[in-house]
Amino acid sequence: MKIPVLEVRNLNKNFGGLKALRALSFTLGKGRIKSFMGPNGAGKTTLFDIISGLESADSGNIYYKGSEITKMAAEKRARIGMSRTFQTTQVFERLNVVENIMVGCYTKTNVRFVPAGLWFPSIYREEHRNMQEAFDILEFLGMYDKAGRRVSQVSYMERKLIELGRTMAMEPDLLLLDEPFGGLNLKEMKIISEKIGLLRDKGISIAIIDHHFDLISDNSDEVVVLSHGEIIAQGSPYDIRMNKRVISEYFGVRD
């Protein structure tokens, strides 16, 4: 039996009297895409915050490649191969495009203060490798010609691609994408969706939060629907489309 890249067991989280997550359990296998849907307040982002280590669960367990990481710090999770994006695009305004991508390489560096300050040859070689990798990522994203531009000079969709590229520079095995299609038009969504599909083809496991069911159906191997912090349905995109409870509670159509 293959060990899943991510396994969540009976995850619970309360904020005061609000039950944000209720006994959530699921697995995500290597090179698979699992999408999470649900109305605002369903617990989707809270789930990603706990998986990535930004929040702690009240109870339950998280396993990454078979090892428990429930209490592991967020930085350590990033270093072992977990990466994520956020609802609000996070970019460094004062850096250019290629430098924004290079930021993601920090999880792979072992640079110490003195060698970096004195610019030892090893530091120069590592910087060169990181820059070359960043240019390769920009070529994959179709933004090679934008490498030297300030972030303020690129479009909103290109900012989304920069954030995706920065996660690629971390060489993740698990990628958490929080609303990667938010604020985009249909043409732009399809561009982002294509890149996500190519990352899955490279063997990266991907979890996505989004509201565009038709779009995520094209790539997703499985869809999970949340309501009030609990899973009300999970299965193939077809299964979810046919699920009566999902139709009633999420799509707002009743018999």
Side-chain angles (χ1 to χ4, degrees):
M1 180 179 179
K2 292 184 178 179
I3 297 174
V5 171
L6 175 68
E7 182 177 3
V8 171
R9 296 182 188 172
N10 296 315
L11 214 60
N12 291 277
K13 179 66 176 180
N14 296 331
F15 292 104
L18 174 66
K19 293 185 179 295
L21 298 178
R22 306 168 185 243
L24 255 67
S25 297
F26 63 86
T27 61
L28 176 58
K30 179 178 174 58
R32 306 279 289 179
I33 294 180
K34 186 184 293 284
S35 293
F36 295 81
M37 300 180 63
N40 292 334
K44 304 182 299 298
T45 295
T46 298
L47 173 62
F48 272 30
D49 286 346
I50 293 174
I51 293 172
S52 60
L54 298 181
E55 287 277 0
S56 59
D58 294 332
S59 62
N61 306 89
I62 303 172
Y63 297 86
Y64 177 71
K65 296 181 178 179
S67 299
E68 185 169 5
I69 60 166
T70 308
K71 297 183 179 181
M72 183 181 287
E75 181 184 356
K76 289 185 178 180
R77 297 187 198 202
R79 287 189 178 277
I80 63 172
M82 298 176 64
S83 183
R84 73 168 291 183
T85 64
F86 294 84
Q87 288 183 24
T88 303
T89 306
Q90 306 290 318
V91 292
F92 297 93
E93 298 286 348
R94 295 187 179 183
L95 302 181
N96 63 27
V97 170
V98 71
E99 289 168 341
N100 263 273
I101 302 295
M102 290 174 66
V103 169
C105 296
Y106 86 93
T107 58
K108 300 175 293 180
T109 185
N110 292 307
V111 173
R112 296 294 181 264
F113 179 77
V114 173
L118 297 177
W119 202 247
F120 283 7
S122 60
I123 302 302
Y124 173 80
R125 289 192 295 270
E126 185 166 22
E127 183 82 359
H128 179 75
R129 285 195 300 270
N130 292 343
M131 181 169 288
Q132 183 57 59
E133 182 179 350
F135 273 104
D136 291 342
I137 290 171
L138 287 175
E139 185 171 14
F140 168 82
L141 297 173
M143 292 186 63
Y144 192 90
D145 60 332
K146 307 286 179 67
R149 293 191 183 183
R150 294 287 181 182
V151 172
S152 60
Q153 297 176 306
V154 302
S155 69
Y156 181 71
M157 184 202 70
E158 289 170 332
R159 286 174 174 237
K160 290 271 193 180
L161 287 171
I162 290 169
E163 188 175 38
L164 183 62
R166 191 171 65 237
T167 66
M168 292 173 59
M170 297 170 68
E171 298 183 356
D173 291 313
L174 172 63
L175 185 54
L176 309 173
L177 303 179
D178 194 345
E179 298 197 20
F181 310 118
L184 303 178
N185 62 40
L186 184 57
K187 180 180 179 180
E188 293 169 337
M189 289 180 190
K190 289 183 176 180
I191 292 173
I192 298 289
S193 179
E194 178 186 355
K195 301 303 181 186
I196 292 172
L198 291 172
L199 291 177
R200 186 261 307 276
D201 293 343
K202 292 177 180 287
I204 299 174
S205 303
I206 304 173
I208 301 174
I209 292 173
D210 214 87
H211 300 284
H212 299 87
F213 182 76
D214 289 338
L215 192 62
I216 63 176
S217 294
D218 293 339
N219 274 338
S220 299
D221 299 295
E222 188 174 24
V223 178
V224 177
V225 183
L226 300 178
S227 180
H228 301 293
E230 63 181 350
I231 296 174
I232 63 170
Q234 59 181 319
S236 70
Y238 176 82
D239 292 337
I240 297 302
R241 188 184 293 275
M242 296 295 105
N243 186 287
K244 291 184 177 181
R245 185 175 179 185
V246 174
I247 293 171
S248 174
E249 295 194 21
Y250 187 78
F251 295 111
V253 178
R254 300 184 182 276
D255 293 336

